[in-house]
Amino acid sequence: MALYLVFNCVCLFACSERHTFTITYTEINGQTIARIPEVSAVATLDGLQIDYYDSVRKKLIPKQDWVAIESRNIWKDYTEIREQVRQINKINITVLMQQLNQSHGVHVYQRMYGCVWDYKTNDSDGFDQHGYDGEDFITLDLKKLRYNSPVPQGIPIVQKWNNDSQQLQLLKQYCEQDRIDWIKYFLELGKDALERKGMSPLVSLVQKNSSSPVVCHATGFYPSEVNITWLRNGEEHYEDVELGELLPNEDRTFQKTSTLSIYPDEWKKHQYVCVVEHKTGTIQKNLTEDEIRSNKSKLIIKCYNAILFSLLILPVNFLYFIFIENVTIPALSTWWLFCE
């Protein structure tokens, strides 16, 4: 079955405009905990697990029914790709340990890459992050088509990759076309199971105790686009505000938080309002004692395996230990090694 299909201009995912496809490889060198694979590969679409591969089973496992019905030949091909990437990653981490003068111990190399695509505008953006031992190591600036490293040890590798113009052009094509085709492919494949109407967020103000920051928590909404802001006496307020990550729920809805760190005396003297803007409408919560739910309240926060799935969509430096059953698609992981 051909990978690149011709799609009509339809409202995929029931008019959700932006879609994110993410792939994560995790390679562990050294003695691991029992039953934890040396290599695992994960793919998600809008936070939903697609498939899984690891070096123990050496088998590509679909994690959605609508994925499982796909041609077995494709799964066979991509199982082979996972195995190729596993072998290359094993070389990568070995070379990296040598460059860092590390001869023993447990070390983790990860690559998380993917694409964000807006079906209405056809705009796209990509990301490619490499991590080592829980820290960011190399990242891609897709607009400039250049790799960067926040650590001195990564500079020689970045220079080598950036000097390979042919591979950079292949990367550009992969980010702007191939990954988008994969998003369209999976959206079309699972549209019957994934289509849904817009769902309004449930908004709550949460506080651990009287001196803790106040969290504005929005959950249960779909699609994922949401804007959370704080107002102070009717004007937008950005000081002492920390916006949380967008997280998926197990029912394929989403949740997000915005934390306001001020003393109770401050918000009692002024009017603070949390404003949640979503496709389904705007919800406002006035910051008052009656509105706040403490840790003794019966607040139900929908989470999708809170730690594992949260880690899955955070930056590489938070992806230290991801061992969940997912998989990847053909990656450029099969091209550059860390050294000649």
Side-chain angles (χ1 to χ4, degrees):
M1 182 177 181
L3 171 60
Y4 304 125
L5 306 177
V6 178
F7 298 94
N8 294 325
C9 183
V10 295
C11 184
L12 300 172
F13 265 34
C15 299
S16 180
E17 298 178 6
R18 292 171 62 83
H19 303 283
T20 303
F21 190 79
T22 302
I23 304 161
T24 303
Y25 280 96
T26 301
E27 172 85 30
I28 306 174
N29 185 84
Q31 186 66 39
T32 64
I33 301 174
R35 301 183 66 182
I36 291 180
E38 182 183 52
V39 177
S40 61
V42 172
T44 62
L45 177 62
D46 292 341
L48 182 67
Q49 182 177 347
I50 299 300
D51 47 28
Y52 172 77
Y53 170 87
D54 65 43
S55 55
V56 175
R57 281 175 278 193
K58 296 183 179 180
K59 180 181 179 182
L60 188 61
I61 302 172
K63 305 304 293 184
Q64 302 295 328
D65 292 340
W66 46 271
V67 176
I69 63 174
E70 180 52 349
S71 169
R72 292 184 178 181
N73 291 331
I74 288 182
W75 291 112
K76 179 181 178 181
D77 292 342
Y78 286 103
T79 296
E80 294 175 356
I81 290 176
R82 303 301 179 280
E83 179 60 22
Q84 294 171 8
V85 174
R86 182 190 72 82
Q87 295 173 5
I88 289 178
N89 284 349
K90 190 174 184 65
I91 297 174
N92 282 346
I93 194 171
T94 301
V95 172
L96 190 53
M97 288 178 61
Q98 293 173 352
Q99 292 183 349
L100 298 176
N101 295 320
Q102 297 172 335
S103 59
H104 61 279
V106 177
H107 299 281
V108 180
Y109 163 67
Q110 290 179 302
R111 182 187 184 192
M112 183 176 75
Y113 65 98
C115 180
V116 179
W117 173 65
D118 189 314
Y119 91 92
K120 280 193 173 181
T121 64
N122 205 36
D123 291 337
S124 65
D125 196 8
F127 51 91
D128 187 8
Q129 298 172 291
H130 299 254
Y132 184 71
D133 283 352
E135 300 291 338
D136 288 336
F137 190 71
I138 293 175
T139 59
L140 171 68
D141 184 335
L142 185 60
K143 301 299 183 183
K144 297 180 180 179
L145 203 57
R146 307 293 289 176
Y147 278 96
N148 303 291
S149 177
V151 295
Q153 297 89 339
I155 300 301
I157 300 170
V158 164
Q159 291 175 340
K160 176 190 173 185
W161 289 3
N162 287 340
N163 287 332
D164 194 333
S165 58
Q166 182 178 2
Q167 291 290 5
L168 285 171
Q169 287 304 315
L170 288 175
L171 175 64
K172 180 179 177 64
Q173 175 184 333
Y174 186 70
C175 291
E176 295 181 351
Q177 178 178 330
D178 296 356
R179 290 180 183 176
I180 304 304
D181 288 335
W182 268 103
I183 290 179
K184 293 178 180 179
Y185 173 68
F186 281 117
L187 287 174
E188 179 69 15
L189 194 65
K191 66 179 182 179
D192 292 338
L194 296 168
E195 283 183 347
R196 61 172 62 217
K197 297 180 179 179
M199 300 180 67
S200 301
L202 172 65
V203 181
S204 302
L205 299 181
V206 188
Q207 189 179 36
K208 275 188 178 181
N209 53 61
S210 59
S211 60
S212 299
V214 178
V215 179
C216 183
H217 179 263
T219 188
F221 55 88
Y222 186 93
S224 62
E225 291 79 15
V226 69
N227 186 40
I228 305 179
T229 56
W230 285 93
L231 300 180
R232 181 180 183 271
N233 298 331
E235 297 183 357
E236 291 191 2
H237 180 76
Y238 299 103
E239 295 181 7
D240 305 311
V241 173
E242 181 179 356
L243 189 64
E245 297 283 346
L246 178 71
L247 302 177
N249 293 321
E250 61 182 349
D251 60 358
R252 296 200 301 274
T253 62
F254 296 88
Q255 62 173 291
K256 196 169 186 177
T257 62
S258 180
T259 302
L260 178 65
S261 299
I262 60 174
Y263 291 107
D265 290 344
E266 172 68 15
W267 57 259
K268 288 178 181 179
K269 289 190 299 184
H270 301 276
Q271 183 185 46
Y272 285 87
V273 180
C274 177
V275 181
V276 178
E277 298 173 288
H278 187 255
K279 178 181 178 180
T280 56
T282 299
I283 300 175
Q284 297 187 5
K285 287 288 184 178
N286 295 322
L287 180 49
T288 63
E289 290 185 348
D290 292 339
E291 192 67 51
I292 293 177
R293 297 188 179 187
S294 69
N295 59 351
K296 296 180 180 179
S297 301
K298 295 181 179 179
L299 174 64
I300 301 176
I301 299 177
K302 301 177 182 178
C303 291
Y304 186 88
N305 202 329
I307 296 178
L308 295 181
F309 235 101
S310 297
L311 289 175
L312 198 62
I313 63 174
L314 292 178
V316 170
N317 58 328
F318 289 102
L319 286 170
Y320 200 131
F321 290 112
I322 296 180
F323 305 114
I324 42 182
E325 300 188 348
N326 269 206
V327 175
T328 330
I329 53 176
L332 295 178
S333 299
T334 55
W335 40 298
W336 290 327
L337 294 180
F338 282 132
C339 67
E340 299 293 347

